[in-house]
Amino acid sequence: MASPKDRFVTVYGRKPVLEALGDATLQVDKVVLADTARGPAAREIIDAASARGVDVQRASAHRVKVLAGNGKQDQGVLADVVAPRMKLLSDALSGPRPPRGVLLLDGITTPANVGMILRTATAAGMGGIVVPRRGVASIDPLVVKASAGVAFHAPVLRCGTAAEAAAELRASGYPIFGLDAGAPTSLFSAELPSRVAFVLGSETAGVSQDVASHVTSWVSIPMRGGVESLNVASAAAVLCFEHLRRDPATY
């Protein structure tokens, strides 16, 4: 079932909200300001929203914390920014042009890694990046900052969990490739079909057991110099650009 978080990237805190309002390339749906917010800081936000014709809604400080999902850093204000390429995974798979390459994030909870992956995968033309609502860092100001703003425009696909996404991808005919440092098959020599999904697991636990049950092939990135593994964002960069090199079709 769709939720408002499947249409917007919610940013919170005075500076991120002002930055969003000041960026003419972004469409801000609304600003929610705590009813306790007063003074010059609140006035600056109200004026910036008014200049863009953006609706400012007042809510209790508790409600703002709930909507922001961050009780410590919201500073009593949030903004919902329209993410034009964000959609439900189910809608993307059933649409007229299903994505050729899909990247599934599984258990990646560090915002910096999620942000860098969104930036890299978008740059490499990946057709969709599945960011589940549960088990993965939410797309918040920390993720937006790490992506250098690309998170607003990334082809994000939403679903409940990574396991649900893996099952849905398999049902739609996508083989799923998982990264495993011990896999005998190299990513660079593996046979990759034109329509394919890749799963990236957390650095500590790897691909979760529920998702691993849907993986059809395991591949590794060859390592030299005694290095055993890469940071997950670095591994994502290698994977995404190898996919682009193999299949430079327009997405």
Side-chain angles (χ1 to χ4, degrees):
M1 183 181 295
S3 78
K5 290 186 180 297
D6 297 327
R7 296 179 49 227
F8 306 120
V9 171
T10 299
V11 296
Y12 51 78
R14 177 178 166 275
K15 184 177 179 181
V17 168
L18 285 172
E19 287 177 348
L21 289 169
D23 188 339
T25 68
L26 298 179
Q27 180 185 346
V28 181
D29 181 73
K30 65 180 176 294
V31 171
V32 181
L33 192 63
D35 50 19
T36 54
R38 295 285 187 271
R43 174 49 55 189
E44 185 179 13
I45 290 168
I46 293 170
D47 290 346
S50 176
R52 289 284 306 274
V54 175
D55 182 41
V56 177
Q57 301 176 4
R58 286 284 188 171
S60 69
H62 175 72
R63 181 62 177 162
V64 172
K65 292 183 187 302
V66 170
L67 292 173
N70 189 310
K72 295 181 180 179
Q73 296 176 314
D74 62 76
Q75 296 179 311
V77 63
L78 63 83
D80 283 336
V81 181
V82 176
R85 300 179 70 189
M86 183 182 289
K87 63 180 69 173
L88 291 175
L89 172 63
S90 56
D91 290 343
L93 296 180
S94 62
R97 294 185 63 194
R100 294 167 66 85
V102 175
L103 192 64
L104 169 58
L105 308 191
D106 174 26
I108 303 174
T109 58
T110 304
N113 283 334
V114 173
M116 287 186 283
I117 290 170
L118 290 177
R119 182 174 178 82
T120 297
T122 302
M126 194 63 70
I129 308 151
V130 182
V131 183
R133 300 185 200 101
R134 298 186 294 280
V136 173
S138 60
I139 303 177
D140 64 9
L142 295 176
V143 169
V144 170
K145 183 177 181 179
S147 76
V150 172
F152 291 123
H153 308 285
V156 173
L157 305 179
R158 303 313 299 266
C159 63
T161 67
E164 291 171 3
E168 198 167 348
L169 286 162
R170 289 294 294 123
S172 297
Y174 284 75
I176 299 179
F177 283 71
L179 281 181
D180 181 351
T185 303
S186 166
L187 169 67
F188 303 131
S189 61
E191 190 172 322
L192 302 180
S194 59
R195 184 174 292 182
V196 62
F198 302 95
V199 58
L200 290 170
S202 71
E203 286 187 284
T204 54
V207 176
S208 65
Q209 196 168 14
D210 288 344
V211 174
S213 65
H214 297 286
V215 171
T216 52
S217 301
W218 294 94
V219 294
S220 59
I221 295 173
M223 298 288 171
R224 300 291 184 268
V227 176
E228 294 183 357
S229 65
L230 295 176
N231 166 277
V232 66
S234 299
V238 174
L239 189 159
C240 290
F241 280 99
E242 174 63 10
H243 182 252
L244 176 64
R245 186 185 72 83
R246 302 275 201 101
D247 184 22
T250 301
Y251 287 81

